[in-house]
Every structure is written in C-alpha cells, then in structure tokens.
Amino acid sequence: RTGVFAAEVTPGIPGEKPVTIKMIDAKTKEHVETIEVDAAMVATGRVPNTGNMGLEARGIETNRGFVNVNEKMQVLSSHDENAQLIPNLYCIGDANGKMMLAHAASAHGISAIENICGREHVVNHGAIPAACFTHPEISMVGPTEEQAVEMAKNEGWTLGKSQGSFRANSKALAEGEGNGIAKVLFKKETGEVVAVHIIGLHAADLIQECANAVAAGTTVQELSMMVHTHPTLSEVMDEAFKGAVGMASH
C-alpha cells in the first residue's frame, strides 16, 4: 500500500487476536481502511551512537549526533563553513549521516583506508543503490525524478526518461508478478544515466546493473546494445534502455 499512513496501531495477542492498523490518506488524513495482520513492525528511526565517545574533548561538534566529514571521510570539527580538519581521525557509516546503508558504510571504510594509505579515493554516493524489501520490492540509485528535474534546470542539460514494464516480461508473468516498472532518467545530450527507479519483483537485484552504469558513466546508447539473458527479469531494464534511444525490445 502506498500513499497512506498508519494512524493507529492496536496490539494483538499471538494466536488469539490480530494486530489492527488504521490507515489514513497521506494527504487528506482521511480514513482509508483498517487492516488486520499477524504482526506489525514499528520503525521509529535511527540516531548515531556517538554521545559517549569523547568527541567534545577533541573539539568536535556534532549535529544531532552526526559527525561531519569531508569527501575523504576525514573528520571535521563542526558542520559550519569554518570547520577545521581533525588530524588522523576518520568517521564512516551511519555516524557521519551521508548515507545510512550498510553497503555505504562498507564503501566508506574502504575509502578511508585507501586515503590513509595515500591512495586518494572519494565515494560516489550518487552511484550507491538502495532497496526496500517490501512486496513488491523497491530500489533506486541516484536522485528522485523531482531532484533530477531541478538538477537539469540548474546545470543546463535536458532530462530524458524511459520506462520498462514487468507486465511484458515473461519471467515476471511466470512468477505471477506482472505488476511493476523500471524508470531510467538520463541526460539527453550525452546519454549519461542519472538515476534509475524500480518497483517490482527482485527490484533489489536489478538495481545493481544500473548502479554500475552510473558509477562507470555508461550511456543509454551503450546499455541499449548490451545483450540481456532471456527469459529473465533483466529484460525489463533492457526495454527501458532501448526505449531511451528510440529502440524497441519486442
């Protein structure tokens, strides 16, 4: 379900009474439906666990617990423009607040070690994929479409958009999961992939090809000529890439 909030959750009793969730429209706040489920997971957010690390003693000011770092993961004294570099101190992962994902934290750690060893490295956060393990799955890499529109306006390039459908994919249909789309946003002038958003079966797996394309600067022209295995879900992406250059996959 999308476009709704859980306004009220009434606990249940395992094996005796279900959990009751009152759903309201995200915009109008009007009651939409009340659902009954076996269990409900309530996610209230995360906060960095940096309160008892002695950061203040090193002259480090945090913002809601987040430690400011530069592009090399080196710690800065504060979040303002005059922040000073703290020598020999690095901060990776959720604590720096750049991108609160496990694989982003791993990339931060690798990057920090590379910089410590004198091999200059910067993490490209725009090429790090993210996924929501809902049903159907949701995945993305790069900015939202609204952000991409603003980027195109400010940077002076034209935004292109192409979509692929799970409804025309034989693997998805065989699995009984024909609902879903893949959207590719790209620069019309160069064909550079800016972002990809996927909703559908195994979207979390499909996004990796797209993240690699963003990281490597692969164009939609190049991607459109790459052969995708049949019958697989990857052909949803093939349809989107071909559509970006005016080709058809069927």
Side-chain angles (χ1 to χ4, degrees), residues 35-109:
I35 61 175
E36 295 183 345
V37 296
D38 293 331
M41 181 176 70
V42 180
T44 57
R46 295 168 291 171
V47 293
N49 187 19
T50 58
N52 299 310
M53 298 179 64
L55 297 177
E56 295 80 2
R58 291 291 306 272
I60 301 169
E61 296 179 12
T62 63
N63 182 5
R64 294 182 294 116
F66 291 108
V67 177
N68 193 22
V69 298
N70 62 15
E71 60 183 11
K72 295 182 180 179
M73 300 297 140
Q74 296 171 297
V75 172
L76 300 175
S77 60
S78 67
H79 286 259
D80 59 41
E81 296 180 356
N82 300 318
Q84 301 296 310
L85 182 69
I86 305 298
N88 307 315
L89 193 60
Y90 294 74
C91 179
I92 67 169
D94 292 1
N96 65 36
K98 285 186 174 293
M99 185 173 274
M100 299 175 74
L101 298 169
H103 47 281
S106 178
H108 289 175

Side-chain angles (χ1 to χ4, degrees), residues 19-246:
V19 178
T20 302
I21 305 175
K22 181 180 178 180
M23 312 296 288
I24 61 172
D25 186 276
K27 294 181 178 179
T28 67
K29 302 301 186 292
E30 294 180 355
H31 179 256
V32 175
E33 65 175 324
T34 298
I35 61 175
E36 295 183 345
V37 296
D38 293 331
M41 181 176 70
V42 180
T44 57
R46 295 168 291 171
V47 293
N49 187 19
T50 58
N52 299 310
M53 298 179 64
L55 297 177
E56 295 80 2
R58 291 291 306 272
I60 301 169
E61 296 179 12
T62 63
N63 182 5
R64 294 182 294 116
F66 291 108
V67 177
N68 193 22
V69 298
N70 62 15
E71 60 183 11
K72 295 182 180 179
M73 300 297 140
Q74 296 171 297
V75 172
L76 300 175
S77 60
S78 67
H79 286 259
D80 59 41
E81 296 180 356
N82 300 318
Q84 301 296 310
L85 182 69
I86 305 298
N88 307 315
L89 193 60
Y90 294 74
C91 179
I92 67 169
D94 292 1
N96 65 36
K98 285 186 174 293
M99 185 173 274
M100 299 175 74
L101 298 169
H103 47 281
S106 178
H108 289 175
I110 293 171
S111 184
I113 294 299
E114 289 295 297
N115 288 310
I116 289 170
C117 293
R119 298 185 290 269
E120 188 170 324
H121 183 268
V122 173
V123 174
N124 179 6
H125 289 89
I128 297 179
C132 301
F133 295 93
T134 49
H135 185 212
E137 290 183 356
I138 304 170
S139 63
M140 67 292 292
V141 63
T144 65
E145 184 170 350
E146 292 77 11
Q147 290 171 333
V149 168
E150 193 66 23
M151 288 171 58
K153 179 181 178 181
N154 294 336
E155 297 172 12
W157 45 269
T158 307
L159 180 66
K161 179 170 70 172
S162 180
Q163 292 186 177
S165 174
F166 282 71
R167 195 174 298 279
N169 182 267
S170 55
K171 177 70 178 298
L173 294 176
E175 295 277 359
E177 297 284 351
N179 291 327
I181 63 167
K183 178 173 63 179
V184 177
L185 304 178
F186 60 96
K187 296 181 179 180
K188 285 189 175 182
E189 291 82 356
T190 63
E192 178 186 350
V193 178
V194 176
V196 178
H197 311 131
I198 308 172
I199 301 176
L201 182 66
H202 294 303
D205 300 308
L206 294 175
I207 199 65
Q208 191 60 55
E209 174 186 15
C210 309
N212 292 346
V214 173
T218 311
T219 66
V220 288
Q221 288 83 359
E222 293 169 322
L223 291 164
S224 69
M225 298 305 291
M226 294 181 181
V227 180
H228 291 71
T229 312
H230 176 77
T232 67
L233 295 171
S234 70
E235 292 176 290
V236 174
M237 299 314 311
D238 186 45
E239 180 185 355
F241 296 143
K242 282 180 165 57
V245 296

